[in-house]
Amino acid sequence: EEMSQTDMIDYLKESVQPESGAIPAFLLGDPKVYDIEHKKVFLKTWLFIGHESEIANKNDFITRDLAGYSVIISRGADGKIRGLYNMCTHRGMKLCRADAGNKSSFTCPYHGFNFKNTGDCIGVPLQKDLYGEGFDKSGLGLHKIRIESYKGLMFGTWNDEAEPLVDFLGDFKWYLDILVGRAEMEVIGPPQRFIIQSNWKIGADNFVGDSYHTMVTHGSIVKLGMVPSATYSKKGYQIYTKNGHGLNLGTPNPDFAFPEELKDEYKSNLTEEQYDVLSNLKNMIGNIFPNLSFLISHTKVKGQLISNTSVRLWRPVGVDKMEVITWFLVEKNASDDWKRRSRESFILTFSPSGIFEQDDTEVFTDITAAAAGTMPLVKGLTFNYTMGLHRKPVADFIGPGVVFDDKFTEANQRNFYRYWLDLMTS
Ligand code: FES
Ligand code: FE
């Protein structure tokens, strides 16, 4: 029998139990859950839309998806960044159909209304003739969207009541500083985009806390001798903060995998404690709720250990489908040679042709197929998320959050689903 939305929300309250580690399979395949997610999660929270360096110059713009709706992110002649709903106010046509460019105004492809990149309507074809002398265009401006940035990462939201971005990120900012605030960072090239037949939460779950899978899913890199042992990803810390955010810090690392000549820049941007984490970092993998994952990983390129930094969006385009959008980030003041090698190390590992990415994608699509449709709900199929429930957090870690002193635990997934459930049932 068809469940109403209210019934579904009640059923979520009863069946999703992050505290005791019971997460039902139907969350990954039920179309009703997907619809509720759109309203209660994606239209409510901050969502990543790009990096400020993608629109570095005056009048640069990008168009991006914000919870299923196209938005224009533009840097005005005044240097200010604005978010505009990419819908012409005359009859609703998509105003700008390019992914990126440099324009001070946009002309609608339907009847030719012209809008400045501040959103103001500045031109209507045959205005005097068709609308008369006193026609007022001031009410025709594009709908403005809240955009806020943290250390170059731009987020947008449809929710006018959403707390400020910095409050939403909370203590997690401490770790984001290491990710993107350690130096002036820039995105190289347009983001890579590819479609995976997967529910978006599998990607978020994997990056927020699943270091455990690396032993098996990525076992081939052990066989190839690229890492010393199968448990290479166990050592380190798993950390979560409020609002579902979480990360995994691989540490220690005897080699410094960042450009030596930038040590002063790092030190001036980070606290001593943050610099200590950076200089001992082996890798750093996490997720900003709901769907922005990030990664610093190291790969040997021509005998030298090179770090690469990236962020990725698991953009839902259906209950069983997502577009993965990845941005490669690099220190702006690194040498061209270092930037090239860092990018190479990224593409070798995390990109459609990268070895890790291909491993993970196989898993994500098979889980999605297994969890599809109504059977998993009817049968009450449930996944076990109890790993590490018996463990206590460490008290003396140098960074904020709830910290566990090895990465093989599911504390972060439980934290992710706890906040997800809060939003879904609010
Ligand atoms: Fe844009 Fe008419 S819909 S000008
Ligand atoms: Fe993986």
Side-chain angles (χ1 to χ4, degrees), residues 138-318:
S138 65
L140 283 172
L142 300 174
H143 180 80
K144 294 201 170 57
I145 293 150
R146 266 182 88 187
I147 303 289
E148 290 176 18
S149 295
Y150 187 72
K151 304 271 159 109
L153 301 177
M154 298 186 290
F155 294 76
T157 183
W158 291 107
N159 180 2
D160 294 332
E161 263 86 62
E163 60 187 327
L165 176 70
V166 288
D167 295 341
F168 173 67
L169 296 173
D171 283 345
F172 210 61
K173 296 198 301 292
W174 199 90
Y175 301 100
L176 295 181
D177 291 348
I178 298 168
L179 181 79
V180 288
R182 63 181 187 263
E184 192 180 344
M185 302 295 282
E186 63 180 1
V187 164
I188 304 276
Q192 291 195 352
R193 298 157 64 159
F194 47 100
I195 299 280
I196 302 183
Q197 216 54 50
S198 165
N199 183 268
W200 70 273
K201 291 192 290 305
I202 304 170
D205 176 316
N206 178 279
F207 271 63
V208 83
D210 199 318
S211 295
Y212 188 42
H213 80 287
T214 51
M215 286 196 298
V216 179
T217 308
H218 305 303
S220 56
I221 69 158
V222 186
K223 289 187 189 139
L224 287 168
M226 289 173 73
V227 291
S229 82
T231 53
Y232 65 95
S233 200
K234 187 168 188 289
K235 214 167 158 45
Y237 299 94
Q238 184 170 104
I239 302 159
Y240 71 76
T241 64
K242 65 163 190 173
N243 296 349
H245 314 312
L247 83 158
N248 307 270
L249 281 181
T251 184
N253 177 22
D255 303 310
F256 190 73
F258 301 90
E260 293 281 338
E261 68 274 20
L262 297 185
K263 278 186 172 168
D264 286 343
E265 189 178 352
Y266 295 143
K267 283 178 186 162
S268 72
N269 287 314
L270 300 174
T271 64
E272 235 172 86
E273 290 80 7
Q274 288 168 322
Y275 182 75
D276 191 52
V277 171
L278 181 79
S279 48
N280 287 299
L281 196 69
K282 205 160 72 174
N283 52 43
M284 177 163 141
I285 300 151
N287 189 65
I288 300 171
F289 190 90
N291 64 337
L292 180 68
S293 286
F294 58 82
L295 179 68
I296 299 177
S297 76
H298 305 334
T299 316
K300 274 216 163 101
V301 181
K302 299 192 181 85
Q304 200 195 342
L305 198 66
I306 300 283
S307 72
N308 67 79
T309 302
S310 63
V311 298
R312 56 175 52 218
L313 209 52
W314 315 105
R315 183 175 87 78
V317 283

Side-chain angles (χ1 to χ4, degrees), residues 66 69-72 82-89 95 115 118-121 139-147 157-160:
L66 187 67
Y69 302 100
S70 177
V71 296
I72 302 170
R82 292 179 182 86
L84 305 164
Y85 185 28
N86 192 4
M87 181 190 82
C88 177
T89 50
L95 183 60
F115 299 87
T118 54
D120 296 343
C121 181
L140 283 172
L142 300 174
H143 180 80
K144 294 201 170 57
I145 293 150
R146 266 182 88 187
I147 303 289
T157 183
W158 291 107
N159 180 2
D160 294 332

Side-chain angles (χ1 to χ4, degrees), residues 79-118:
K80 252 187 86 177
I81 293 172
R82 292 179 182 86
L84 305 164
Y85 185 28
N86 192 4
M87 181 190 82
C88 177
T89 50
H90 176 234
R91 204 61 85 243
M93 176 59 189
K94 186 176 187 178
L95 183 60
C96 174
R97 304 168 85 207
D99 288 337
N102 184 280
K103 261 178 173 301
S104 57
S105 74
F106 301 92
T107 303
C108 179
Y110 200 6
H111 311 94
F113 279 35
N114 184 246
F115 299 87
K116 212 177 153 190
N117 61 4
T118 54

